[in-house]
Amino acid sequence: EHVASLLQGIQAEVQSLENAGKRVILIEDNPSLTFDPLVRYRYAELPVRRLVVDWFLGHPVQDAFAQSVSRANTITTGAEVVRSGILALAQADPRLTVIDTKSLFCTQTDCTLAEGSNLLYTDNNHMSRFGVDKIVADLESVETSRRESSLP
């Protein structure tokens, strides 16, 4: 019920903007993490910090060096339902552009935390400059394709 209301509200707002002559680009919410990757990165890269954290916790941080995490632990069922609804709105409205961040950062099984030494997040829910760069690159690609397809 809440998802349906959310999608109806988004659709009404999009239609209102389009009726006013605006071009609408909707950037879908990025995947949220259950931990702060910057803290994990510091743990992994600073041996003294790792020693202190292990001593206080009594055990090492799991998967401290992981470049990705399970999609199932990152994207809730509810978030998947909302994502599907937003993508359906875009399918029904050719004027609406949706940037699907979950597809940018995740495969069917995993979500990327970092590319090499570049963290894509600044905390559990906010993209770093590198994460934002991926979103902007996708937006530029979509816009270039749109412009090229409208050429005579």
Side-chain angles (χ1 to χ4, degrees):
E1 180 182 323
H2 297 293
V3 171
S5 295
L6 173 66
L7 293 173
Q8 287 173 348
I10 291 171
Q11 184 176 27
E13 189 65 27
V14 167
Q15 286 176 346
S16 175
L17 290 166
E18 288 175 342
N19 290 340
K22 306 296 181 188
R23 172 134 168 74
V24 179
I25 301 170
L26 179 62
I27 300 176
E28 214 264 325
D29 200 13
N30 57 273
S32 294
L33 305 174
T34 58
F35 61 92
D36 184 336
L38 187 55
V39 170
R40 187 182 277 189
Y41 177 79
R42 287 179 183 140
Y43 171 88
E45 296 298 321
L46 302 171
V48 172
R49 185 181 189 112
R50 192 168 46 246
L51 180 68
V52 170
V53 170
D54 289 353
W55 184 76
F56 279 116
L57 287 179
H59 58 81
V61 171
Q62 296 297 312
D63 301 321
F65 295 94
Q67 294 279 312
S68 63
V69 293
S70 167
R71 182 181 176 115
N73 292 333
T74 307
I75 304 172
T76 65
T77 303
E80 287 285 11
V81 170
V82 170
R83 175 181 170 264
S84 295
I86 289 172
L87 294 176
L89 290 176
Q91 287 292 320
D93 181 355
R95 297 177 296 171
L96 175 62
T97 299
V98 172
I99 303 300
D100 180 11
T101 60
K102 290 174 180 66
S103 291
L104 282 175
F105 295 100
C106 304
T107 66
Q108 291 296 336
T109 57
D110 296 308
C111 293
T112 304
L113 300 173
E115 293 178 340
S117 62
N118 297 327
L119 286 174
L120 300 177
Y121 290 82
T122 59
D123 61 24
N124 69 319
N125 196 35
H126 295 94
M127 306 313 299
S128 70
R129 178 178 64 87
F130 302 108
V132 171
D133 286 349
K134 281 182 69 91
I135 294 170
V136 169
D138 190 60
L139 176 59
E140 289 172 344
S141 172
V142 166
E143 285 302 296
T144 299
S145 296
R146 184 186 69 80
R147 274 189 241 110
E148 289 174 354
S149 69
S150 65
L151 293 176

